[in-house]
Amino acid sequence: MKHKISVTVNGAVREAEVESRLLLVHFIRENLRLTGTHVGCDTSHCGVCTVQLDGEPVKSCTVLAVQADGRSVNTVEGLEQGGKLHPMQEAFTEKHALQCGFCTPGMLMTASALLERNQNPSEQEIRQAISGNLCRCTGYLNIVKAVQHAAEKMRAA
Amino acid sequence: MRTDAKICGMGHSMKRKEDPRFIRGKGNYVDDIQLPGMLYMDIVRSPHAHAKIKKIDTSAALKIPGVLAVIDGPTLEKYKLHWMPTISADTQMVLPIDEVMYVAQEVCAVIATERYIAADGADAVEVEYEPLPVIVDPLKSIAPGAPVIRKDKKDKKDNLAFHWEAGDRAATDAALEKSDVVAEQFVYVPRIHVASMETCGCVADFNSAEGKLTVYMTTQAPHAVRTVFALVAGHVGLSEERIRIVSPDIGGGFGGKVPVYPGYVIAVAASVVIGKPIKWIEDRMENLQADSFARDYHMKVRLGAKKDGTMTALSIKTIADHGYTNASANPMKYPAGLFSICTGAYPLKNAFCEVDAVYTHKPPGGVAYRCSFRVTEAVHAIERVVDVLAQKLKMDPAELRMKNFIAPERFPYKSVLGWEYDSGNYPAALKKAMDIIGYEALRKEQKEKRARGELMGIGVCSFVEIVGAGPSKDFDILGLKMFDSAEIRVHPTGKALARFGTKSQGQGHETTYAQIIAEELGIPASDIQVEEGDTDTAPYGLGTYASRSTPTSGAAASLAARKIRAKAKTLAAHLLECSEADLDWEPGRFFVKGVPGKGKTIQECAFAAYTNMPQGMEPGMEATHYYDPPNLTFPFGSYICAVDIDRGTGEVKVRRFVAIDDCGNIINPMIVQGQIHGGLAQGVGPALYEEIGYDEDGNVFGGSFLDYYVPTSLECPKWETDHTITPSPHHPFGAKGVGESATVGAPPAIANAVVDALSHLGVTHIDIPITPEKVWTLLRKAGAAE
Amino acid sequence: MIPAPFDYHRPGTLDEAIGLLVRYKDDAKVLAGGMSLLPTLKLRLGSFGHLVDISRIAALEYVKEEKGAVRIGAGTRNATLERSELIKAKFGALADALPLIADPLVRNRGTIGGNIANGDPSNDHPAIAIALGAELVARGPKGERAIPASRFYKDLFVTDLKADEILAEIRVPLPLPRSGSAYRKLKRKTGDYAVAAVAVQLSLSASGTIERAGIALTNVASTPVEALEAQKFLAGKTPDAKTLAEAARLAAKAASPSADRRGSVEYKREMARVLAGRALTAALERARA
């Protein structure tokens, strides 16, 4: 019941032997010790576990690690490149889009994926895109503003 | 703003100092902690609301490789840890011996080498139950002759947890009798849950070589927990100087991480017995179903008035459902919290309120969920009944409020139920809200829409909150007075370290406390390192809940900083070879009066405190202050929302939501606004979506995110926020707490809007959560459904 | 939160996958997007010794127009369908429904095939497939067979699929000229299942009468419900407000909802009527456009 997997995580190939039932979120947090991705529920609702699987934001608590074999996974730790923060990370601080920080990594992965697809999303499109990520602290408005701000910055760059 | 952007004191929207780690995914939450040799704990829970435990068969579980032990009630009984006190001085089971009292109650705990194996172990434990009769209806529980739920309490013959009252019953009844009009309404504020994104958990680590216990845990009140552990487990060798509680980063608290849950105690016991660190992280269903709850108040509200709308008297009779034990986080003298704030923004001359707390077969509780203490319930009652009164008098609800508000000149105002409101200007807040939302235009639009058969409503809520518990003469939790603390140390190079007895769970203390100190000392906020949560280093405090950090520790910070500034003045005079009387102060610098070029910076004074003290002065530059607040603070606000109702489905859409808040002087406007946004979302939730309920067998609904409806970005409207500023006269820098205002003010505003939309159909009340079906049922009855 | 142990297989082709079902029988379960199966396994509400992962079989992911139908590979993700211009152009019901299925993250993984083959009346695709007159193509050890969607659902979680068959394709006939379809769904909040939902496709004759009506309901019975009486009533009629209202009433009559937290029996049935009326009106508008 164990399988050898090879997953490209934040650009680096990581290999491991894992149980079939190991959830991707636990592979990331415990095998790889990347604890930025969080666990918040047990019914696949909250989205704090969101990572990008081949560029698409998905709930890593509802993906098996074996399903990521041969694929690429990007987590929040991979957003900062060469000491430079991703514009979305800067925008979140700029616009006070986080308070306790627990939903933040998932939000960042969903929001940055959105801007890859849609460089100028409307407020409604942003709210729709992050509707699978729950937040209890911010009331969402500043998160929307942060995404708009990041989009503006990235379009200008 | 008195300071510039570099110093960044009060009033600056400083970007948060805690953000860098969170945006990188480098927060340090309890489940991120890994210690060598750490084991995992998973809890087996009862599927029955009330049952006898006939047998616990752990044989299959113990056969699983990696399962090390199963801890049950009898194991803890050997150490007298199977029961523990609650923070309301009731008692609660840690693990049961013979009976379980609510669905999801802890029955036993499996300890294993890995998380997945602990789950397998918990699944393999077989428990045999004999179901017993269940009481979930508090009205049935309090009826004479009801079976006694707390048979463990000697001589207890009923299910009353406590009775509490405030005010003059006879005078109030008489005043109501004499009133021209009495608005009477039953209001039920149902059970909800804080549902912070991070659930509760701990890593308990008992070092047997040193006899020292360290517990990393999701707690908003680490010192109180340490003291309680010492008192409760002193007999098994835990001693307060060798207990360390560490609150790492917390993913949302809102009051839900104040109680000591059985899981923590079991983990501690397991660590003591096994001698290894034990990690326990609850999953979401455990969190929603077993960890306490909030609200659950059944209230009969009566508000009397003259026919011109002048309010005369208020009476509220409440049945409070407390679950099987009173584990609520209320100050001892106020078992129903600060419910007597129910007279609100109105100068009622007669008022009486009483609360009967009742036991039922449900989880223990309740927590103070972003409501100060029971203020959401009190405000919901008064603001709902004011609208009922307005409807009865055929008066506009905003007009009725304006007519009655306590006038701005009357502060400090002593309410008939005994609170001295520090300051307030209620008419200004309501007027601002009305202007911003365009109240007159909305009323006009409503009239036009009504003529066409379209449903639109406008809801007003003017609330007074009461936060910052509290003065030592009246406030304590289990005897611990509710002061709070700050300890500031300035280093030779002029940088500072500040520690507090509170604990942020997202409120931004690392930033706001730095700004408070920057304001007083002129040291740049970016040079001030703030720490909280480690009981080995932080000064004693009661923690963060009930919007108390700014009113208590914030005050302590400014007073400690002023002590340091006084010492700095002495040092400056010494360095400048003049007398202290010759010196003036500007942010960050003392200078000789009239000779601005001749001065010393605070950094130079700090350096001198270690290198060049005047004769006889104690070296170093630090100060501690334990602040005993002279009074609570009374933030307030007016919220107005506009809703549209779908006549076919009953769905309510919040079209606009305007929130005007007054929390006195503002430390960081950006952070305050963020607190309001978040509180509004946690107000929309209970107003339209969230509820935990039970069928008559005690089975729960709303026990997972499948049916506990937390609003997403699509359920939340675009908040429109603004403020007025009415400083608190007794607070060192005139501030009040603000974190909870929006959770308090939003639900009544929305409920009032929905009733307003349907008032022409004869609807006078609707209980939250306002589901589409509830609305549709009212429309049906009125013959107005599509 | 943690599933019980199981073994995992990742066949490269659909036939290999079928071979595994033949080999492991009841103890094997097909894993596609995993958005229904994995939550079930995590809560230990069901268990299987062998998961057969078909989610990486690229041959199962396609959306193409061919021989008078739009053919959708069962492994196509809902997010892909949501972005498909072909789907949006031809099937208003799918354009309406897709943004309302679960949430965007779930749609990045969940497949139309899983949504259809689950046999869960609370999933959205089944009623839509029925209303659009779709055929479901099942592949087994003996080959393929096409099953009309309206005959696919037998009972709660029971479909016509045999234990050794896997859903391979959903074939949706190209709409007749002058057709329009719509989906109207009531839910308590984003991400929740429907309180009730109705899928409608109307095709008009040249004279404007109703040539064909497909009406099906989500989550108001133990299977998706085809509103046969309502469909029959509409055939040949001139669609005016009164006719549509009566059709909506008949559609609601076909519902047999159970009471739960999402609503009482009466409310759900009434909502079926209201939503059917709205879906019919929208479909008609699109048919006339």
Side-chain angles (χ1 to χ4, degrees):
Chain A
M1 300 220 207
K2 284 203 157 196
H3 298 269
K4 282 203 172 69
I5 62 172
S6 172
V7 188
T8 305
V9 181
N10 298 329
V13 175
R14 309 296 296 263
E15 292 181 338
E17 198 177 349
V18 302
E19 271 191 86
S20 308
R21 63 171 171 164
L22 181 68
L23 303 175
L24 180 60
V25 67
H26 287 136
F27 176 66
I28 291 168
R29 287 180 55 79
E30 318 230 330
N31 296 55
L32 302 182
R33 297 298 296 141
L34 295 169
T35 56
T37 305
H38 298 137
V39 174
C41 78
D42 40 27
T43 50
S44 309
H45 281 95
C46 75
V48 304
C49 64
T50 304
V51 301
Q52 290 167 3
L53 178 60
D54 291 341
E56 295 295 344
V58 301
K59 294 177 180 177
S60 65
C61 73
T62 318
V63 176
L64 300 172
V66 289
Q67 291 183 289
D69 178 32
R71 299 308 214 210
S72 84
V73 172
N74 288 330
T75 69
V76 64
E77 289 90 344
L79 283 178
E80 189 177 6
Q81 294 284 327
K84 200 166 174 308
L85 287 173
H86 189 285
M88 189 65 71
Q89 289 172 300
E90 287 177 335
F92 265 54
T93 288
E94 192 59 37
K95 295 298 176 184
H96 190 36
L98 64 147
Q99 292 182 25
C100 81
F102 204 71
C103 78
T104 304
M107 285 287 182
L108 287 169
M109 300 320 286
T110 297
S112 55
L114 169 68
L115 293 192
E116 290 293 314
R117 226 179 238 297
N118 180 350
Q119 279 77 54
N120 194 4
S122 65
E123 179 180 345
Q124 192 55 23
E125 284 172 322
I126 295 170
R127 285 183 181 268
Q128 174 80 352
I130 63 172
S131 62
N133 295 85
L134 295 180
C135 174
R136 266 315 230 183
C137 293
T138 68
Y140 302 105
L141 181 53
N142 283 352
I143 295 176
V144 171
K145 289 188 172 160
V147 178
Q148 288 169 324
H149 183 73
E152 202 183 306
K153 282 253 160 104
M154 287 169 75
R155 283 197 307 273
Chain B
M1 289 178 287
R2 279 213 314 248
T3 58
D4 61 20
K6 181 161 190 292
I7 293 174
C8 214
M10 293 273 298
H12 287 273
S13 283
M14 182 181 191
K15 303 293 171 272
R16 294 196 335 160
K17 300 171 96 224
E18 39 270 89
D19 283 2
R21 62 185 186 274
F22 294 135
I23 57 175
R24 289 173 171 82
K26 297 272 189 237
N28 187 34
Y29 303 92
V30 140
D31 200 10
D32 299 341
I33 294 172
Q34 268 204 10
L35 300 180
M38 190 172 77
L39 303 173
Y40 292 81
M41 183 172 110
D42 203 345
I43 296 181
V44 177
R45 295 179 180 273
S46 168
H48 298 285
H50 186 208
K52 214 189 289 259
I53 299 174
K54 309 255 321 260
K55 187 162 173 255
I56 300 180
D57 185 352
T58 60
S59 53
L62 289 168
K63 284 203 188 75
I64 298 174
V67 172
L68 301 178
V70 181
I71 300 188
D72 60 8
T75 312
L76 293 184
E77 193 179 15
K78 283 195 256 174
Y79 303 93
K80 294 207 187 42
L81 285 175
H82 56 308
W83 280 81
M84 62 177 174
T86 70
I87 39 186
S88 272
D90 199 331
T91 52
Q92 175 176 3
M93 283 181 265
V94 178
L95 285 174
I97 305 294
D98 359 78
E99 268 183 35
V100 288
M101 302 283 244
Y102 61 98
V103 168
Q105 179 176 353
E106 299 79 4
V107 173
C108 63
V110 172
I111 311 291
T113 53
E114 286 170 36
R115 192 193 300 265
Y116 279 44
I117 298 175
D120 292 339
D123 202 34
V125 171
E126 281 166 28
V127 186
E128 211 183 299
Y129 300 95
E130 183 190 305
L132 295 170
V134 170
I135 306 179
V136 290
D137 183 346
L139 297 170
K140 289 208 175 89
S141 179
I142 203 176
V148 173
I149 290 178
R150 295 300 299 272
K151 301 194 286 282
D152 58 285
K153 289 177 184 283
K154 220 164 82 97
D155 304 326
K156 187 122 184 85
K157 302 257 190 310
D158 58 27
N159 292 319
L160 186 70
F162 65 80
H163 171 87
W164 173 85
E165 54 183 69
D168 187 329
R169 186 200 297 268
T172 303
D173 281 346
L176 283 169
E177 195 74 26
K178 286 211 301 278
S179 300
D180 295 333
V181 167
V182 176
E184 180 171 318
Q185 185 59 58
F186 272 99
V187 181
Y188 177 47
V189 176
R191 184 170 283 237
I192 55 175
H193 198 282
V194 310
S196 48
M197 294 324 299
E198 181 204 29
T199 60
C200 298
C202 68
V203 177
D205 182 17
F206 181 70
N207 181 327
S208 50
E210 296 176 3
K212 179 158 185 181
L213 172 70
T214 303
V215 188
Y216 302 88
M217 62 191 280
T218 48
T219 176
Q220 300 173 236
H223 291 92
V225 169
R226 184 189 73 192
T227 304
V228 167
F229 275 0
L231 293 172
V232 163
H235 62 279
V236 298
L238 293 185
S239 183
E240 196 169 6
E241 84 285 6
R242 279 175 286 119
I243 300 174
R244 177 180 173 219
I245 307 293
V246 181
S247 303
D249 288 321
I250 299 185
F254 314 116
K257 288 172 176 160
V258 171
V260 174
Y261 296 118
Y264 301 137
V265 180
I266 304 168
V268 168
S271 186
V272 171
V273 166
I274 298 176
K276 290 228 160 66
I278 307 280
K279 174 181 271 191
W280 169 65
I281 307 291
E282 58 175 6
D283 60 29
R284 179 58 63 183
M285 286 166 69
E286 295 180 284
N287 171 259
L288 291 174
Q289 293 182 30
D291 285 357
S292 195
F293 64 89
R295 319 285 188 257
D296 220 341
Y297 260 30
H298 303 255
M299 303 179 281
K300 176 174 162 186
V301 192
R302 289 183 297 153
L303 177 63
K306 299 197 185 124
K307 50 177 175 278
D308 70 353
T310 309
M311 298 175 197
T312 53
L314 172 73
S315 168
I316 307 184
K317 179 176 166 58
T318 301
I319 306 278
D321 187 336
H322 266 261
Y324 92 96
T325 188
N326 181 2
S328 62
N330 287 316
M332 302 303 293
K333 193 171 158 189
Y334 301 100
L338 306 177
F339 190 69
S340 49
I341 195 64
C342 53
T343 54
Y346 315 106
L348 287 155
K349 293 206 178 66
N350 294 283
F352 175 73
C353 60
E354 59 178 329
V355 176
D356 284 307
V358 172
Y359 292 128
T360 56
H361 287 114
K362 295 175 186 168
V367 296
Y369 170 19
R370 206 165 187 171
C371 61
S372 188
F373 298 108
R374 295 292 183 186
V375 180
T376 33
E377 293 88 321
V379 168
H380 203 89
I382 181 69
E383 285 301 293
R384 194 61 288 283
V385 80
V386 165
D387 259 36
V388 173
L389 179 65
Q391 209 175 339
K392 244 185 144 94
L393 293 170
K394 298 199 191 350
M395 257 181 100
D396 178 278
E399 197 193 321
L400 179 60
R401 286 172 170 85
M402 282 293 197
K403 186 186 169 62
N404 278 280
F405 279 149
I406 300 164
E409 316 82 69
R410 293 185 69 181
F411 290 85
Y413 169 81
K414 188 90 188 262
S415 82
V416 68
L417 292 179
W419 298 112
E420 188 180 276
Y421 296 16
D422 56 2
S423 67
N425 189 340
Y426 309 139
L430 179 54
K431 180 166 190 311
K432 193 161 189 178
M434 291 170 76
D435 287 343
I436 290 179
I437 205 170
Y439 190 78
E440 298 305 326
L442 283 176
R443 284 287 174 211
K444 187 156 170 279
E445 183 194 347
Q446 182 182 43
K447 203 157 165 213
E448 289 162 7
K449 285 208 151 103
R450 256 185 199 169
R452 295 200 296 269
E454 289 168 43
L455 299 172
M456 168 196 162
I458 304 150
V460 179
C461 171
S462 295
F463 65 90
V464 177
E465 246 271 59
I466 169 174
V467 302
S472 58
K473 66 174 168 44
D474 287 320
F475 286 80
D476 69 271
I477 290 189
L478 283 183
L480 297 168
K481 298 295 183 185
M482 297 186 73
F483 54 86
D484 228 288
S485 57
E487 177 193 288
I488 306 173
R489 190 175 304 159
V490 184
H491 303 321
T493 56
K495 314 288 201 278
L497 174 64
R499 293 176 167 144
F500 298 84
T502 50
K503 176 62 204 173
S504 178
Q505 323 103 47
Q507 296 91 325
H509 290 175
E510 289 168 44
T511 309
T512 53
Y513 284 156
Q515 287 182 256
I516 293 170
I517 298 169
E519 180 76 16
E520 298 288 349
L521 294 181
I523 296 176
S526 53
D527 286 347
I528 302 171
Q529 178 73 6
V530 170
E531 291 180 358
E532 290 174 304
D534 184 336
T535 58
D536 268 4
T537 51
Y540 204 97
L542 268 281
T544 299
Y545 41 89
S547 294
R548 61 188 297 277
S549 297
T550 295
T552 60
S553 273
S558 68
L559 294 178
R562 289 174 197 178
K563 290 180 189 171
I564 289 178
R565 195 168 80 224
K567 183 168 191 177
K569 192 171 191 184
T570 309
L571 285 157
H574 168 69
L575 293 172
L576 292 166
E577 294 174 327
C578 63
S579 83
E580 287 188 42
D582 295 330
L583 289 176
D584 254 346
W585 164 262
E586 63 182 7
R589 189 170 172 268
F590 287 105
F591 60 95
V592 177
K593 286 183 181 153
V595 194
K598 192 166 176 214
K600 288 292 170 193
T601 64
I602 186 84
Q603 288 82 3
E604 287 169 313
C605 297
F607 194 70
Y610 297 87
T611 61
N612 186 2
M613 305 77 69
Q615 261 303 313
M617 174 190 267
E618 193 179 350
M621 186 172 255
E622 71 181 64
T624 301
H625 194 89
Y626 287 81
Y627 185 73
D628 183 356
N631 190 5
L632 297 109
T633 63
F634 296 78
F636 59 93
S638 271
Y639 294 171
I640 307 183
C641 68
V643 304
D644 297 294
I645 298 187
D646 183 321
R647 277 184 51 219
T649 61
E651 282 169 295
V652 173
K653 187 128 175 71
V654 178
R655 192 205 306 172
R656 285 186 70 190
F657 199 110
V658 170
I660 305 300
D661 280 277
D662 192 315
C663 58
N665 288 329
I666 294 177
I667 305 164
N668 182 321
M670 178 190 81
I671 288 183
V672 167
Q673 189 191 56
Q675 290 299 300
I676 303 295
H677 288 176
L680 290 174
Q682 288 185 312
V684 163
L688 299 175
Y689 303 101
E690 298 174 36
E691 185 179 3
I692 293 187
Y694 297 81
D695 68 16
E696 55 190 27
D697 295 321
N699 297 311
V700 65
F701 69 82
S704 79
F705 278 167
L706 199 63
D707 53 4
Y708 191 74
Y709 295 130
V710 173
T712 72
S713 51
L714 290 174
E715 276 75 48
C716 290
K718 196 169 170 176
W719 317 112
E720 296 169 66
T721 58
D722 207 326
H723 57 269
T724 56
I725 298 183
T726 313
S728 169
H730 67 75
H731 186 277
F733 52 91
K736 306 180 180 181
V738 76
E740 299 169 319
S741 291
T743 328
V744 167
I750 295 173
N752 285 347
V754 175
V755 173
D756 183 69
L758 307 172
S759 60
H760 63 300
L761 302 169
V763 173
T764 54
H765 180 70
I766 190 164
D767 272 331
I768 58 174
I770 299 168
T771 65
E773 184 169 0
K774 277 185 185 166
V775 174
W776 174 83
T777 304
L778 290 169
L779 288 173
R780 259 282 266 243
K781 255 211 282 230
E786 191 178 285
Chain C
M1 173 74 198
I2 312 289
F6 52 78
D7 207 355
Y8 170 84
H9 310 264
R10 193 164 68 227
T13 68
L14 192 53
D15 288 322
E16 272 172 52
I18 290 164
L20 287 164
L21 292 187
V22 169
R23 179 158 165 212
Y24 293 113
K25 302 190 176 28
D26 282 352
D27 204 24
K29 187 79 173 159
V30 171
L31 171 66
M35 293 295 112
S36 298
L37 179 58
L38 291 178
T40 303
L41 295 179
K42 283 164 68 180
L43 295 177
R44 303 201 181 202
L45 293 173
S47 76
F48 301 91
H50 299 269
L51 292 200
V52 178
D53 187 355
I54 61 170
S55 68
R56 300 254 287 259
I57 300 175
L60 285 177
E61 295 185 57
Y62 53 89
V63 182
K64 55 189 178 196
E65 191 177 323
E66 210 180 86
K67 297 192 200 139
V70 174
R71 301 176 59 182
I72 307 170
T76 309
R77 312 277 180 181
N78 278 313
T80 308
L81 292 175
E82 198 180 344
R83 291 193 282 265
S84 160
E85 291 307 324
L86 177 61
I87 296 286
K88 285 192 274 204
K90 302 285 181 202
F91 305 111
L94 284 171
D96 290 339
L98 284 155
L100 301 175
I101 295 179
D103 65 57
L105 303 175
V106 171
R107 294 198 291 278
N108 277 338
R109 293 291 291 167
T111 62
I112 181 171
N115 198 287
I116 291 217
N118 238 352
D120 188 342
S122 65
N123 285 146
D124 297 289
H125 278 296
I128 297 171
I130 292 173
L132 297 180
E135 275 189 328
L136 308 173
V137 180
R139 178 126 106 216
K142 300 199 195 77
E144 280 192 358
R145 61 190 184 104
I147 311 148
S150 53
R151 290 215 279 279
F152 188 71
Y153 297 97
K154 305 293 183 196
D155 204 341
L156 187 64
F157 298 119
V158 180
T159 69
D160 197 52
L161 274 184
K162 311 268 176 296
D164 56 9
E165 284 179 318
I166 298 180
L167 183 65
E169 180 178 278
I170 296 95
R171 240 172 246 165
V172 194
L174 285 174
L176 300 165
R178 295 172 298 273
S179 288
S181 64
Y183 191 67
R184 290 292 178 265
K185 177 176 179 178
L186 173 63
K187 52 189 163 68
R188 289 284 285 122
K189 68 152 226 189
T190 306
D192 195 23
Y193 295 110
V195 173
V198 181
V200 170
Q201 186 185 50
L202 293 178
S203 303
L204 305 176
S205 69
S207 62
T209 58
I210 294 173
E211 198 168 294
R212 176 189 171 272
I215 306 174
L217 303 116
T218 296
N219 218 11
V220 291
S222 54
T223 64
V225 174
E226 188 179 3
L228 294 166
E229 214 185 325
Q231 288 173 176
K232 203 158 145 206
F233 167 77
L234 284 175
K237 295 229 171 33
T238 305
D240 57 20
K242 200 154 155 251
T243 311
L244 293 190
E246 176 61 12
R249 193 189 69 79
L250 290 170
K253 235 179 100 195
S256 49
S258 6
D260 61 22
R261 292 308 304 166
R262 293 193 187 87
S264 63
V265 169
E266 194 197 2
Y267 178 66
K268 287 186 180 185
R269 202 189 288 280
E270 264 304 290
M271 290 309 100
R273 184 186 66 79
V274 169
L275 296 170
R278 293 180 183 183
L280 282 162
T281 305
L284 179 64
E285 219 163 298
R286 287 169 179 168
R288 283 176 174 162

